[in-house]
Amino acid sequence: MKKNIELIMFDLDGTLVDSMKDIAKAGNFTLENFGLMKKSVQEITSYVGEGREHLVKKLLGDKQGFLKEAISVFGEYYKKHSSDSSILYPNVKKVLEYFKDKKKVVISNKNHEEVVSNLKSLAIYDYFENIIGGDEVECKKPSPFHLCKTMQGFHVNEKKSIMVGDMDIDILAGKNAGILTCAVTYGVSKKEDIIRAEPDFIIDDIGKLRDIIS
C-alpha cells in the first residue's frame, strides 16, 4: 500500500547525483598539492558522506598537521569543478517532476554552496523548496536535527515525511527523526550497511519511489 507522504527529504551525493569523479579529482588535487600520493576513485568515494572535514581527514591519514590548509585547498578546487563530470542518476528528473506537487528538500552533509552548484548545473534546483548543507547546522546526519527542523518549518508531521538516501547515516537520521526511510542501492554505501540500518524500503531505482509514495 502506498504511503500518504507530503514531505520528501533527499540526500544528494549517491542518491540524486553521481558526483564521485569530481570529488575524487578534488581529493587527488589536494593530495598532490601537499606532495602526497594520489588515491583511487573507489578509495576516495569511501570517505564520502560525513562532510568535507571528515573526507579531508581521511585523505590525509596520519598527515594531519596541515588539515586546515588542506580543507581550504580541497574547497577552493571543488568550488570551481564540482559539476565537471557530475550527472543525475537514472530517473531522478522524472521522479522530481512526478512529485512536483510534494514538498521536497535536499539535506546533505556537503557544504550548502556545493549542493546548490550541483543542483543548478544539473537543472533540478527549482524542484526543491529548501536546501540544507552540512555547514549550516551544528549536527550533521545521522543527527535528526535538520530533518526535524524541516518538518517543523513546513508544518508536516512525522507520519507524512520520508527520508531518501544511499547511506546508513541517511537512514539513521530518518529513524532518529521518527519518519519513514527509503534506501537506494546504487550509491556510495555498501548494500550490507544499508540493510543493517533497517530502512522501511530499499529500492534499486529511484523511479520506484512512485510505487511507495501516493
Side-chain angles (χ1 to χ4, degrees):
M1 184 180 295
K2 291 186 179 182
K3 303 295 182 180
N4 182 14
I5 298 295
E6 295 179 5
L7 171 62
I8 310 172
M9 292 178 272
F10 292 96
D11 173 51
L12 181 72
D13 297 311
T15 303
L16 299 176
V17 178
D18 181 354
S19 53
M20 296 308 115
K21 288 182 181 179
D22 289 328
I23 292 172
K25 285 179 183 177
N28 279 323
F29 177 86
T30 304
L31 290 171
E32 287 186 297
N33 185 80
F34 294 98
L36 301 174
M37 287 186 63
K38 293 167 68 174
K39 297 185 177 183
S40 69
V41 173
Q42 290 76 17
E43 184 171 358
I44 296 175
T45 294
S46 72
Y47 306 153
V48 171
E50 298 183 47
R52 183 190 295 176
E53 183 173 345
H54 171 84
L55 188 152
V56 176
K57 279 183 178 179
K58 297 290 284 186
L59 274 176
L60 297 180
D62 59 359
K63 304 290 194 302
Q64 298 289 314
F66 39 83
L67 174 63
K68 187 174 181 180
E69 186 180 355
I71 291 172
S72 178
V73 169
F74 180 95
E76 285 302 312
Y77 180 91
Y78 191 67
K79 181 179 179 179
K80 297 174 183 176
H81 302 280
S82 64
S83 301
D84 287 359
S85 303
S86 294
I87 58 173
L88 295 177
Y89 284 107
N91 294 319
V92 165
K93 200 159 189 176
K94 288 181 180 178
V95 161
L96 296 176
E97 181 64 26
Y98 182 83
F99 292 122
K100 62 184 178 182
D101 295 328
K102 303 284 186 184
K103 296 178 177 68
K104 295 177 296 299
V105 176
V106 172
I107 298 181
S108 174
N109 283 346
K110 193 173 188 173
N111 283 16
H112 179 268
E113 184 179 19
E114 296 165 1
V115 177
V116 170
S117 176
N118 282 159
L119 296 176
K120 286 185 175 180
S121 69
L122 294 167
I124 59 170
Y125 176 82
D126 291 336
Y127 283 105
F128 300 99
E129 279 72 25
N130 197 15
I131 295 154
I132 299 173
D135 54 332
E136 296 179 281
V137 291
E138 295 180 3
C139 301
K140 295 180 174 67
K141 294 176 291 184
S143 165
F145 176 81
H146 25 331
L147 283 73
C148 294
K149 186 175 180 181
T150 298
M151 288 187 286
Q152 290 171 1
F154 286 114
H155 306 289
V156 178
N157 66 35
E158 292 86 346
K159 292 181 180 179
K160 294 190 176 183
S161 303
I162 191 169
M163 178 70 205
V164 182
D166 71 301
M167 297 189 73
D168 54 354
I169 58 172
D170 300 312
I171 304 309
L172 293 172
K175 285 182 170 292
N176 290 336
I179 66 175
L180 288 172
T181 56
C182 179
V184 300
T185 62
Y186 51 76
V188 173
S189 191
K190 295 178 181 178
K191 191 169 182 178
E192 53 264 35
D193 292 334
I194 293 172
I195 293 171
R196 195 177 300 117
E198 299 182 338
D200 296 290
F201 305 96
I202 299 178
I203 56 177
D204 55 12
D205 179 340
I206 201 165
K208 293 184 179 179
L209 274 180
R210 290 171 291 193
D211 299 327
I212 295 170
I213 299 171
S214 64

